[in-house]
Amino acid sequence: MTGPSVNGPTLFDAAPPPLTDERLALLTLRFTTQLGPRRIEGLRRHFGSAVAALQAPGRALREVPGLDTRSVAALGDARAQAQAHTRAQTELARTQAEGVTLLFRGLPGYPAALNALGDPPPALWVRGTLPELPEVPRAIGMVGTRAASPHGAAFTRMLAADLARAGVVVVSGLARGIDTAAHGAAVEAGGLSIAVLGSAIDVIYPSENRALAERLILVSESPLGTRPAQHLFPERNRLIAALSAGTVVVEGERRSGSLITATHALECGRTVFAVPGRAGDPRAAGPHQLLRDGAVLTESAADVLTELGWGAAPPAPLPDLPPEQARVLAALHEPRTLDDLQTLTGLPLPEVQTALVLLQLLGLTEEVGGRWVRR
């Protein structure tokens, strides 16, 4: 599946012709002060196009529902509109020069999944080929604390890899901790992963994730050059929720961005999944509260796939291993204790232990909190 490309007429003459390009008009509205997503969409729907909205006289603008006097004044300010138009032209030139795709609400290529929001962004900046994201996309958001526990990070890697092998797009926010683990495991498993940023797509935060970002599809509702800012992260979280059929919260405190994302998911009519943690661990407080509120308890990819009616997870491809090691690794589709592994494999305990040590040396398993997991 391929996303649309940004093609169009040259827009940068010294004396531009009358505005006729809908993309340029939408971007001009995006850069007009006093206008947010709802007002921009209201203008587009009322007049039939952004071009027509920018050409409308003041008396017609005053008839648009939801448009206040300051918004009408901003649209009628010739100097302010010239500045917004120039900024829009410059932004289009930069995106074309840097291979960035701009998607606009109401035009082909814009993800239908974002219709679940009350205020979808009028424009999206995308680096990479965005897959088709219909009203209910085959995508799962995975979020959690930046200070992930070893067990939480290991579980996230296992879950993201299994979902990716099942053809599910993994969506997250490129933050440290759970987000980084989810993105990395999904692409290493051969799947697609979308990172929704709280900055522009040419400003990678945190900087240590620059190499990882090159393997992801990047999405932002901020113009190029926008630095990360506190108010942008809640906006980012609502996009993660809408671009996913459900959101998995792995770890997070009661008051955290992960819980904000879960709230947005519920508002979008999406399913919320939560991974149980250790009692008393503050990082488990958020998921445990979600579970009390009715979230789907999640211990494996099968829980997600079954809940959404997406079939079974394909078995993970096994490397060419001796029989005992292969049996132990195959049993680790979820965290297991030594006793669990002995029962599942039918091997004597010393052979299970030996197999685990050899698998750990190969980088295939690790012990986390008394349980063994795949890496």
Side-chain angles (χ1 to χ4, degrees), residues 94-353:
R94 286 189 64 189
T95 57
Q96 290 172 340
E98 297 185 24
V100 172
T101 299
L102 269 170
L103 302 178
F104 295 97
R105 190 177 182 194
L107 297 183
Y110 189 87
L114 291 181
N115 292 334
L117 292 171
D119 59 344
L124 284 180
W125 282 253
V126 180
R127 188 182 297 280
T129 302
L130 197 66
E132 184 179 358
L133 295 166
E135 295 281 353
V136 181
R138 191 177 175 87
I140 288 294
M142 293 187 64
V143 296
T145 179
R146 289 171 171 80
S149 69
H151 173 74
F155 180 86
T156 299
R157 289 193 293 270
M158 180 185 70
L159 182 63
D162 287 345
L163 289 172
R165 281 189 285 266
V168 176
V169 178
V170 173
V171 185
S172 197
L174 199 62
R176 296 183 179 96
I178 296 301
D179 292 20
T180 295
H183 288 306
V187 295
E188 287 166 11
L192 294 178
S193 188
I194 297 172
V196 186
L197 307 185
S199 62
I201 59 175
D202 61 338
V203 181
I204 302 303
Y205 176 81
S207 58
E208 65 260 28
N209 276 346
R210 286 174 182 164
L212 174 60
E214 293 178 0
R215 307 173 67 190
L216 308 175
I217 301 159
L218 306 182
V219 172
S220 175
E221 58 180 308
S222 297
L224 295 178
T226 303
R227 307 297 301 176
Q230 194 63 40
H231 72 277
L232 295 177
F233 291 103
E235 296 178 4
R236 180 270 313 267
N237 292 342
R238 85 190 200 290
L239 295 189
I240 294 173
L243 290 172
S244 311
T247 295
V248 180
V249 178
V250 180
E251 289 183 327
E253 298 186 1
R254 287 181 185 273
R255 296 174 181 268
S256 67
S258 304
L259 274 293
I260 293 173
T261 307
T263 299
H264 285 305
L266 292 172
E267 291 171 350
C268 291
R270 308 306 200 197
T271 304
V272 173
F273 301 85
V275 179
R278 291 182 300 174
D281 186 342
R283 291 169 292 201
H288 287 174
Q289 183 59 54
L290 292 173
L291 289 168
R292 283 190 286 269
D293 292 341
V296 178
L297 189 148
T298 305
E299 296 179 303
S300 68
D303 294 321
V304 176
L305 298 171
T306 300
E307 179 68 23
L308 296 173
W310 287 350
L318 297 178
D320 187 13
L321 296 170
E324 295 79 6
Q325 294 177 41
R327 286 166 68 179
V328 171
L329 187 60
L332 288 174
H333 56 82
E334 62 183 71
R336 301 289 191 187
T337 65
L338 280 173
D339 288 341
D340 292 337
L341 291 171
Q342 183 180 11
T343 300
L344 289 168
T345 62
L347 296 171
L349 185 59
E351 291 189 24
V352 172
Q353 292 172 315

